[in-house]
Amino acid sequence: MSVEAMRGVGPAGTVQPADDRAEVRRILRLAIPQAKGLWAAIALGALSGGSAVALLGVSAWLITRASEQPAMMYLSAAVVGVRAFALGRAFFRYVERLAGHDAAFRQLGTVRSRLYARLEPLAPDGLRGVRSGDLLARLADDVDGLQDLPLRVIQPLVSAGVVALGSVVVAFVLLPAAGVILLLTLTVAVLAGARVNAWAAGAAERRIAPLRSALYDAVHSVVSELDVLTAFGALAAAQERVRQASDRLTAALRARATGVGLTAGAVSLLAGAAVFLGLAAGIPAFGSSEVDAPTLTVIALLPLAVFEVFGTVPLAFVAWTRVRSSAERIASAVPATLPEGIPVDAPGAASTPALRGVPDVRLDGVSARWPGEPFPVLHDITLRLRPGERVVLTGPTGAGKTALAHVLTRLLEHTGDYLLGDESVRELKQDAVRERVGLVEQRPYLFDSDLRQNLLFARETASDDELLDVLGRVGLREWAVERGGLSAPVGERGALVSGGQAQRIALARALLADFPVLVVDEPTANVDAAAADAIVRDILETAATDGRTVLLISHTDVAADLVDRVLRLESGRLVPA
């Protein structure tokens, strides 16, 4: 296959690999609701549009025919038709909106669940360098934008197309020339509307999603880092970045609105042209008695009703550009295949390890690299952690200590052998490994809830007494009681607790989860020296009870009586401590 065949051109003129285009198509297919709901909405939309056209046509015929003062019996059917079509237009429109939006919103739930399922294996290492605000925009606004595919692209194109085709047939039956004129003006309306929109708003439409992401990212930075920005006097500059991002987004939205307005204006001009040309063809036919006066009125006014329904077709091309852009951004945020370095469960991997108790942990010739990085961060690591051992791992920043912790918890893929007892971790599901090997991160995440909820997710069945007991084991029971007990709030990302208290809460969660092997990554990085010594002692004395193995990653010196061994990592290799 040639390079040209493997590539396609995106809406912004950028070259897209064939794999990316296939993923965009897969996301677009996923956004289409089930056939039952979609076709019901399309049928109801066609009935609503058909009722609108029929209402104007029958009303025009009725008024003109009534001016000739025939017997009432000749008008009664038309009177009933006007009432029926008036009620039908509103009724079918309401039910169509209800059915269409219900189907689209239900499908959005499926889209989100699938995307989160695809995103979950990437966290945390596959999302290194991804801006939180940009990712939020892709998984919120861009996913919401996919609802326009059934609601503003597929449904209007099919429903309006059916109504337009039926109207052309009716016009052709009334007067062949009128049918041909209506068909030609509708065709020109589609082409002209699409061209006008592409000229006036095409570029703006493609810029809106990235600009919205940039605004979200700027706002997220200000909100999440408000205290730091204020402390260093950088808040005004950050707010200015938000203002500039907002101005750029506003300009793009205005350009899109201009394009939509010009498109609607072009369609309206062509509707007027269709009326004028219809009269131009109908008046001579009326003069030659080929058509009567009521029929001439219908021929003249029918295009107005048809174009009112058909006006959504050019706008569907506008919506398609927006939907396509959203799908491309989602595809780039959630890749079809996991990048190299992210673990993948092998087919037939066991969900429950055969071993029980505290396993022997053995690494033999293990190397690893961060996803997207060309060079390994760990080189040929050979390590054994015996049951109940308390081991300290030291080393300079960037030596690979966190990478080793992520390998042990199957967050990062590796080469070489990694055994828990006699079982290779590749023969186990990732969750099964994480049930045996737990990680307390350097910056533990605390939910914006109370202390109870921040502990319960480690063991949902734990009672309040058990929660207070584990807080006592990490030295926080009295502190918790003074703050009001387990209902005390911890704030967003733990804003109401200190760094040392956050580490102790994370340790309490690990004890509740009862990991046989516990890896603690830099627990003293965000606390003062006095608190650091207390935290390290609590970890090694408290967490190592019941025969639990503890690997403590630390920059600080640890008392020799607390540990069994000290290891050192430099440039991704174990060296003598």
Side-chain angles (χ1 to χ4, degrees), residues 4-61:
E4 290 77 8
M6 294 175 62
R7 293 182 177 270
V9 179
T14 57
V15 176
Q16 291 181 294
D19 289 346
D20 291 347
R21 290 186 288 126
E23 178 62 10
V24 170
R25 289 194 297 269
R26 191 196 68 81
I27 291 173
L28 291 173
R29 286 194 299 269
L30 185 61
I32 298 175
Q34 295 182 355
K36 180 180 179 181
L38 179 61
W39 283 110
I42 289 173
L44 291 166
L47 288 172
S48 176
S51 297
V53 174
L55 175 62
L56 184 58
V58 174
S59 299
W61 185 93

Side-chain angles (χ1 to χ4, degrees), residues 26-293:
R26 191 196 68 81
I27 291 173
L28 291 173
R29 286 194 299 269
L30 185 61
I32 298 175
Q34 295 182 355
K36 180 180 179 181
L38 179 61
W39 283 110
I42 289 173
L44 291 166
L47 288 172
S48 176
S51 297
V53 174
L55 175 62
L56 184 58
V58 174
S59 299
W61 185 93
L62 176 62
I63 293 171
T64 308
R65 186 74 177 97
S67 69
E68 299 174 348
Q69 298 181 347
M72 188 63 190
M73 60 180 295
Y74 295 109
L75 301 177
S76 58
V79 171
V80 173
V82 168
R83 292 176 178 175
F85 291 132
L87 293 173
R89 180 181 64 171
F91 173 76
F92 289 128
R93 180 63 168 168
Y94 173 78
V95 180
E96 173 260 322
R97 286 296 180 97
L98 190 64
H101 283 78
D102 178 70
F105 290 158
R106 288 180 185 275
Q107 194 63 23
L108 282 188
T110 301
V111 173
R112 281 200 173 89
S113 63
R114 297 278 183 89
L115 292 179
Y116 281 124
R118 295 268 297 278
L119 187 64
E120 185 269 337
L122 294 173
D125 297 329
L127 299 176
R128 294 165 62 89
V130 176
R131 303 193 311 273
S132 298
D134 180 59
L135 184 60
L136 175 63
R138 296 185 188 217
L139 295 182
D141 283 355
D142 286 329
V143 171
D144 282 344
L146 294 180
Q147 67 182 298
D148 286 346
L149 179 58
L151 294 176
R152 294 179 173 84
V153 179
I154 298 175
Q155 184 178 326
L157 286 175
V158 179
S159 297
V162 169
V163 173
L165 181 61
S167 301
V168 168
V169 172
V170 171
F172 190 85
V173 170
L174 296 177
L175 183 65
V180 173
I181 290 170
L182 183 58
L183 178 61
L184 290 176
T185 51
L186 288 173
T187 303
V188 173
V190 172
L191 298 177
R195 177 60 63 183
V196 169
N197 179 75
W199 166 73
E205 187 67 62
R206 291 188 290 270
R207 293 200 311 270
I208 285 174
L211 289 174
R212 183 181 287 114
S213 292
L215 176 60
Y216 278 24
D217 197 53
V219 172
H220 181 271
S221 296
V222 172
V223 173
S224 61
E225 301 166 7
L226 183 60
D227 51 349
V228 177
L229 293 171
T230 302
F232 285 87
L235 181 58
Q239 290 174 325
E240 177 62 20
R241 287 193 294 271
V242 172
R243 188 192 65 77
Q244 292 176 357
S246 178
D247 289 345
R248 288 191 292 268
L249 176 59
T250 300
L253 290 172
R254 285 175 176 167
R256 182 178 71 179
T258 300
V260 172
L262 290 174
T263 301
V267 172
S268 297
L269 286 175
L270 286 166
V275 172
F276 176 79
L277 293 174
L279 282 172
I283 290 174
F286 175 71
S288 63
S289 299
E290 187 177 350
V291 297
D292 56 13

Side-chain angles (χ1 to χ4, degrees), residues 227-357:
D227 51 349
V228 177
L229 293 171
T230 302
F232 285 87
L235 181 58
Q239 290 174 325
E240 177 62 20
R241 287 193 294 271
V242 172
R243 188 192 65 77
Q244 292 176 357
S246 178
D247 289 345
R248 288 191 292 268
L249 176 59
T250 300
L253 290 172
R254 285 175 176 167
R256 182 178 71 179
T258 300
V260 172
L262 290 174
T263 301
V267 172
S268 297
L269 286 175
L270 286 166
V275 172
F276 176 79
L277 293 174
L279 282 172
I283 290 174
F286 175 71
S288 63
S289 299
E290 187 177 350
V291 297
D292 56 13
T295 302
L296 176 61
T297 307
V298 172
I299 291 173
L301 296 182
L302 185 64
L304 293 178
V306 176
F307 270 86
E308 181 182 355
V309 175
F310 197 74
T312 58
V313 172
L315 298 181
F317 295 101
V318 180
W320 168 247
T321 303
R322 182 165 61 250
V323 168
R324 176 81 184 188
S325 176
S326 295
E328 288 172 350
R329 286 172 47 75
I330 294 170
S332 64
V334 187
T337 57
L338 294 177
E340 183 179 357
I342 300 298
V344 179
D345 287 335
S351 59
T352 304
L355 55 90
R356 291 293 181 267

Side-chain angles (χ1 to χ4, degrees), residues 444 446 451 454-455 466-486 488 490 496-509 511 527 531 534-535 538 542:
L446 297 182
L451 190 55
N454 273 279
L455 295 173
E466 289 174 317
L467 298 182
L468 289 172
D469 178 67
V470 77
L471 287 175
R473 293 176 65 186
V474 298
L476 288 181
R477 185 184 182 111
E478 293 183 1
W479 169 81
V481 171
E482 291 174 356
R483 285 175 52 87
L486 295 172
V490 301
L496 301 180
V497 300
S498 68
Q501 290 160 349
Q503 286 290 346
R504 291 175 185 270
I505 293 172
L507 177 59
R509 291 196 298 213
L511 295 178
V527 298
I535 291 173
D538 283 341
T542 303

